[in-house]
Amino acid sequence: MSVNRRIALAAILGVSALAANAAQAADLRVAAIVQSLDTEFNVLWANAAERHPLVQDGTIELTILDGRMDPFNQSNQFDTAINEGYDAIIFIPVDINAGNDPVARAMEAGVPVIGSNTLISDTDLYQSYISSNDVVAGEMLARSVIERLDGEGNVVIVEGMIGQSAQVQRLEGIQKVLAEYPGINVVETRTANWSRAEALTLVENWLISNGGNIQGVIAENDEMAIGALEAVKAYGLDPANVPVAGVDGITDALLAVQRGEMMSTLQDANALAQGAIDLAAAAAQGDSYEPRAEIWDVNGGSLEWGDGTEQQYSVPWVPVTADNVDELLALREGA
């Protein structure tokens, strides 16, 4: 089944898609419970997971379920995955705390859970997890804007959905860097829920209420950064003079970097997704499993596999620059 068809099925039928796919023959069945399939990054993640060699050849049956940004919905999807006897679950939680209980239920039932991208607060509950350090992302975000301002000026912070690990940890990193720069004044901070449209409205209102006296925008993801950029331009300000930064490396952000209008840091959806598939298979099959994704050092990649039993695997961030943005866009087109 193609990724678009499988995602559409999961989005429409929710947990019942698990039962529908359970009849398919495969050596391993893995359920991936993601936050939402309404965001480009999660779709990039899902597409990358579907390209894993063992998913492509049918060895692993992968069912991708849309959590619809609802922790309760994700909890129900866990129960169905457990009851349907899936061999492993990959989890991208909506809420950093609400995700703990379903992971604990799965592990108690003998179904290993692999964390990917965003995380739960009690990471010890995972069999293993693969992520990028969001505190570091927050630090990179803040520094990219503050350095453009030479450490002086009014900035705003556009936060992600409150309670998600990326929001919590990226804010921590932002605040760590802000503490080093007394000349930076944070005039507004509020969530735009990872949404481009919400960020556009929010930053428009901030520019009006502050008389345009905002010199920089620190947005905790690229969708919100692009919304902020649109607001800055609509207000008549030059993006060259009002630095805007985001995280994820979605396509529109790469194009904006290419135009010199914003800054971004790429989160490697391919490594996060395909690495999670290998870790899920290793958890289900044991020590005999050999990873197939090209991200691992055993296959020519840079991420150390070891014996596949480490609890934490960290995927490095990739700052998007004028020097590498064309290459990153070309890779996106070929994915």
Side-chain angles (χ1 to χ4, degrees):
M1 183 181 292
S2 70
V3 63
N4 289 335
R5 185 179 171 195
R6 189 186 301 275
I7 288 173
L9 178 66
I12 294 168
L13 300 182
V15 295
S16 65
L18 284 168
N21 284 328
Q24 299 178 16
D27 293 343
L28 290 173
R29 294 189 300 128
V30 176
I33 299 173
V34 304
Q35 292 173 348
S36 168
L37 293 171
D38 288 335
T39 65
E40 181 182 338
F41 183 82
N42 282 322
V43 172
L44 289 171
W45 187 101
N47 286 332
E50 287 279 2
R51 291 195 304 271
H52 189 281
L54 296 183
V55 176
Q56 290 283 292
D57 69 15
T59 301
I60 293 176
E61 174 202 323
L62 176 66
T63 303
I64 298 172
L65 292 174
D66 185 351
R68 299 174 183 169
M69 285 300 184
D70 184 345
F72 182 73
N73 190 43
Q74 288 193 312
S75 181
N76 287 340
Q77 290 169 338
F78 260 86
D79 290 337
T80 304
I82 294 166
N83 292 335
E84 292 293 336
Y86 270 68
D87 296 295
I89 296 170
I90 299 171
F91 189 30
I92 303 178
V94 170
D95 187 273
I96 191 171
N97 292 316
N100 289 331
D101 284 347
V103 172
R105 292 200 304 273
M107 295 293 282
E108 287 169 5
V111 183
V113 180
I114 307 301
S116 181
N117 192 17
T118 59
L119 303 172
I120 56 174
S121 58
D122 189 356
T123 53
D124 288 340
L125 291 171
Y126 289 127
Q127 177 83 18
S128 60
Y129 61 99
I130 181 168
S131 64
S132 299
N133 188 322
D134 277 310
V135 176
V136 171
E139 293 173 354
M140 295 171 72
L141 260 178
R143 287 194 193 283
S144 64
V145 171
I146 291 170
E147 288 175 0
R148 284 275 301 275
L149 297 176
D150 295 325
E152 301 282 343
N154 294 332
V155 302
V156 294
I157 301 172
V158 188
E159 291 198 72
M161 183 176 288
I162 303 301
Q164 286 193 349
S165 67
Q167 175 268 320
V168 172
Q169 294 169 351
R170 288 176 190 175
L171 181 61
E172 179 184 343
I174 291 166
Q175 291 173 331
K176 284 175 64 176
V177 173
L178 285 171
E180 302 172 15
Y181 292 91
I184 293 293
N185 179 35
V186 179
V187 294
E188 303 280 3
T189 302
R190 192 173 301 172
T191 182
N193 294 304
W194 308 122
S195 164
R196 186 181 307 196
E198 287 190 40
L200 170 60
T201 300
L202 187 63
V203 176
E204 279 180 338
N205 291 337
W206 283 345
L207 286 165
I208 293 169
S209 62
N210 287 276
N213 191 25
I214 292 172
Q215 283 81 48
V217 181
I218 301 170
E220 290 180 353
N221 83 338
D222 277 344
E223 291 286 356
M224 299 187 300
I226 293 164
L229 176 63
E230 292 173 356
V232 166
K233 293 195 290 186
Y235 193 81
L237 298 175
D238 185 346
N241 300 324
V242 184
V244 176
V247 175
D248 280 341
I250 65 171
T251 304
D252 281 350
L254 297 181
L255 291 169
V257 173
Q258 190 181 53
R259 295 191 302 269
E261 292 184 341
M262 67 171 274
M263 297 170 287
S264 179
T265 299
L266 181 102
Q267 185 167 209
D268 191 342
N270 185 69
L272 292 170
Q274 296 207 6
I277 297 289
D278 273 330
L279 291 170
Q285 286 194 346
D287 295 341
S288 63
Y289 180 75
E290 295 291 336
R292 295 288 300 278
E294 294 180 355
I295 67 166
W296 304 107
D297 57 348
V298 293
N299 297 322
S302 59
L303 199 62
E304 184 176 353
W305 172 256
D307 59 3
T309 59
E310 295 294 325
Q311 194 193 29
Q312 178 182 5
Y313 295 84
S314 184
V315 176
W317 299 99
V318 180
V320 182
T321 68
D323 293 330
N324 67 9
V325 67
D326 290 344
E327 179 183 357
L328 293 173
L329 280 166
L331 289 171
R332 182 67 46 79
E333 290 170 3

